[in-house]
């Protein structure tokens, strides 16, 4: 597929984390992904969440299929601002560090020595209360311990999938850390969460190929879906470079002699509202050119298998299916921009580029 022909097919992803929108041609989209082939129409993300799966052969069939005639003439979309306004700010030391749904706040009322509701002083547009921590909790250590204990005491199922991994709570990347929060709780407190995602590619006969992973069916989130060669959240106390090198070894068996040549390549951002959860994520992007003969091997049990695809075929999978873990698609589309697979001469180029940073990229 010529690089310049990819653009119109990705135009629906201009704002990929809109709650819902539709195209003029009648395709219904959710989370920015459309299903355009007869087989993939019947194989939606909802189906996969019911426990069904797909094979590499099915993925390959979609990747290499001929394009259908498409009339993607624009978006009729909206961000669910009403849903966003339901969330009250989470304030620490006069900085907004997150957003919390009133429904989740009801669970936090059980811990008056940890959480405090205070009248709004102009934060946001809800005109009511904001959440903060009890004034007795001054140091990051005390806050981390108190909030952690409260999360542990919440009723089972309120915050599923506890990871025992801490994320920093900060107003922006590199700013002072107010305390550390259990990773699974991050979207319930609406804090900014950071991650590292790496495109591992190979040059074969002058054509770039991407290594794609298939997540283990035992993963608590997005089991069995397609993923980057290497990706992971950014815990507290580790740099992006240290983290990507660690993930390279654990997720793909990439030795330090190869992974140390990884190249930082910017960042993408998005937000997603889902019930009581408000995800505000920034993903730091990395590229790693791998030797032609390198074969990845997972070491932590989180990846079922890997497969190498020409870049245009990966693009086809993204625009025709919902097989990829959603935020991976943003990072791959960013790769398509940077490696010349989408041309600035295409109408709407800047809109699509802007959509890759639709969240608060700070």
């Amino acid at each position: 597929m010529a690089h310049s022909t990819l653009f119109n097919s990705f135009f629906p992803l201009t704002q990929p984390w809109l709650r819902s929108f539709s195209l003029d041609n009648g395709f219904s989209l959710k989370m920015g992904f459309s299903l355009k082939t007869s087989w993939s129409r019947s194989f939606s993300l909802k189906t996969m969440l019911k426990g069904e799966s797909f094979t590499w052969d099915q993925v390959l069939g979609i990747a290499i299929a001929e394009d259908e005639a498409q009339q993607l003439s624009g978006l009729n979309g909206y961000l669910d601002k009403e849903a966003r306004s339901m969330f009250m700010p989470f304030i620490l030391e006069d900085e907004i560090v997150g957003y919390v749904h009133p429904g989740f706040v009801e669970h936090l009322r059980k811990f008056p020595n940890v959480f405090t509701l205070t009248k709004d002083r102009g934060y946001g547009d809800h005109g009511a209360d904001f959440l903060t921590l009890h004034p007795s909790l001054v140091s990051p250590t005390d806050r981390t311990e108190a909030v952690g204990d409260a999360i542990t005491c919440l009723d089972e199922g309120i915050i599923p999938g506890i990871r025992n991994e801490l994320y920093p709570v900060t107003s922006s990347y590199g700013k002072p850390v107010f305390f550390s929060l259990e990773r699974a709780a991050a979207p319930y407190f609406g804090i900014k969460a950071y991650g590292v995602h790496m495109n591992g590619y190979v040059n074969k006969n002058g054509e770039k190929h991407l290594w794609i992973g298939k997540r283990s069916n035992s993963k608590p989130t997005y089991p069995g879906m397609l993923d980057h060669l290497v990706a992971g959240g950014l815990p507290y106390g580790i740099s992006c470079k240290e983290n990507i090198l660690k993930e390279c070894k654990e997720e793909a068996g990439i030795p330090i002699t190869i992974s140390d040549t990884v190249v930082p390549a910017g960042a993408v951002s998005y937000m997603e509202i889902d019930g009581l959860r408000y995800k505000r994520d920034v993903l730091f992007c990395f590229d790693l050119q791998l030797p032609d003969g390198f074969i990845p091997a997972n070491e932590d049990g989180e990846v079922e298998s890997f497969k190498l695809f020409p870049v245009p075929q990966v693009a086809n999978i993204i625009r025709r299916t919902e097989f990829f873990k959603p935020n991976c698609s943003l990072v791959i589309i960013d790769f398509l921009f940077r490696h010349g697979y989408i041309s600035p001469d295409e109408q709407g180029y800047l809109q699509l580029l802007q959509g890759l940073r639709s969240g608060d990229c700070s």
Side-chain angles (χ1 to χ4, degrees):
M1 179 185 296
H3 295 182
S4 62
T5 64
L6 290 174
F7 175 79
N8 283 338
S9 297
F10 285 111
F11 187 66
L13 289 168
T14 301
Q15 298 183 61
W17 298 90
L18 300 184
R19 293 306 303 157
S20 62
F21 53 86
S22 62
L23 295 176
D24 290 347
N25 64 3
F27 286 119
S28 176
L29 293 95
K30 184 74 169 176
M31 303 292 282
F33 297 92
S34 63
L35 304 176
K36 299 186 182 71
T37 66
S38 58
W39 184 83
S40 61
R41 281 195 193 100
S42 64
F43 204 109
S44 68
L45 179 59
K46 292 180 180 178
T47 301
M48 285 188 284
L49 292 177
K50 293 178 182 177
E52 297 186 27
S53 187
F54 53 86
T55 67
W56 281 121
D57 286 342
Q58 290 167 325
V59 173
L60 180 61
I62 289 173
I64 66 177
E66 293 291 332
D67 276 352
E68 296 181 3
Q70 296 173 14
Q71 299 292 330
L72 304 185
S73 53
L75 294 177
N76 292 320
Y78 63 93
L79 177 63
D80 196 342
K81 295 180 180 178
E82 182 180 357
R84 185 169 61 176
S85 69
M86 285 288 295
F87 289 74
M88 65 178 65
F90 179 26
I91 309 291
L92 287 175
E93 299 178 21
D94 291 325
E95 296 275 1
I96 297 179
V97 298
Y99 293 90
V100 189
H101 193 282
F104 182 67
V105 170
E106 289 304 308
H107 297 293
L108 302 182
R109 291 181 184 275
K110 302 174 183 177
F111 311 99
N113 293 328
V114 180
F115 302 103
T116 301
L117 280 177
T118 305
K119 286 299 178 184
D120 182 27
R121 296 181 297 192
Y123 300 107
D125 55 5
H126 56 90
D129 299 322
F130 68 86
L131 181 72
T132 188
L133 296 182
H134 193 278
S136 65
L137 301 173
V138 178
S139 72
T141 300
D142 289 345
R143 291 167 174 171
T144 299
E145 182 177 345
V147 174
D149 288 345
I151 290 172
T152 301
C153 293
L154 286 172
D155 292 339
E156 185 177 356
I158 300 299
I159 299 178
I162 296 296
R163 306 285 288 271
N164 295 314
E165 182 179 334
L166 295 177
Y167 272 8
V169 177
T170 179
S171 59
S172 294
Y173 186 72
K175 292 291 185 70
V177 176
F178 297 109
F179 71 100
S180 300
L181 179 68
E182 158 63 38
R183 175 176 178 172
Y188 292 91
F189 286 88
I191 69 165
K192 287 181 180 175
Y194 300 88
V196 293
H197 280 233
M198 191 190 82
N199 296 290
Y201 71 96
V202 175
N203 273 317
K204 296 173 69 72
N205 301 319
E207 183 180 16
K208 288 187 176 72
H209 292 60
L210 279 169
W211 277 106
I212 301 301
K214 193 170 187 293
R215 295 164 68 88
S216 167
N217 285 321
S218 64
K219 289 280 288 183
T221 57
Y222 303 102
M225 296 189 73
L226 300 184
D227 206 337
H228 278 106
L229 177 62
V230 170
L234 186 62
Y236 178 63
I238 185 172
S239 70
C240 288
K241 180 65 178 290
E242 291 171 327
N243 198 32
I244 200 68
L245 295 181
K246 175 181 72 72
E247 297 289 351
C248 277
K249 184 67 170 64
E250 293 175 356
E251 294 197 348
I254 304 173
I256 188 67
T257 52
I258 296 176
S259 62
D260 198 43
T261 64
V262 69
V263 177
V268 301
S269 63
Y270 64 92
M271 59 175 235
E272 177 193 4
I273 294 173
D274 181 15
L276 305 183
R277 296 156 42 92
Y278 191 168
K279 286 179 64 67
R280 301 191 301 142
D281 291 358
V282 176
L283 307 178
F284 294 102
C285 305
F286 291 83
D287 290 349
L288 177 63
Q289 183 172 350
L290 295 158
D292 190 357
F294 175 78
I295 306 295
N298 179 247
E299 296 185 0
D300 62 7
E302 296 188 358
V303 183
E304 175 188 296
S305 56
F306 299 95
K307 194 170 182 65
L308 189 65
F309 288 92
V311 171
Q313 291 185 12
V314 177
N316 284 343
I317 297 166
I318 290 175
R319 65 191 180 87
R320 294 171 176 172
T321 77
E322 298 179 9
F323 290 170
F324 269 98
K325 181 174 176 279
N327 60 6
C328 295
S329 295
L330 297 181
V331 179
I332 294 174
I333 293 171
D334 180 69
F335 180 91
L336 298 177
F337 271 106
R338 293 185 289 99
H339 290 261
Y341 288 86
I342 302 177
S343 168
D345 294 326
E346 298 290 336
Q347 184 179 5
Y349 177 92
L350 294 178
Q351 289 174 285
L352 180 58
L353 187 63
Q354 185 181 38
L356 298 179
R357 293 157 189 86
S358 59
D360 183 358
C361 199
S362 67

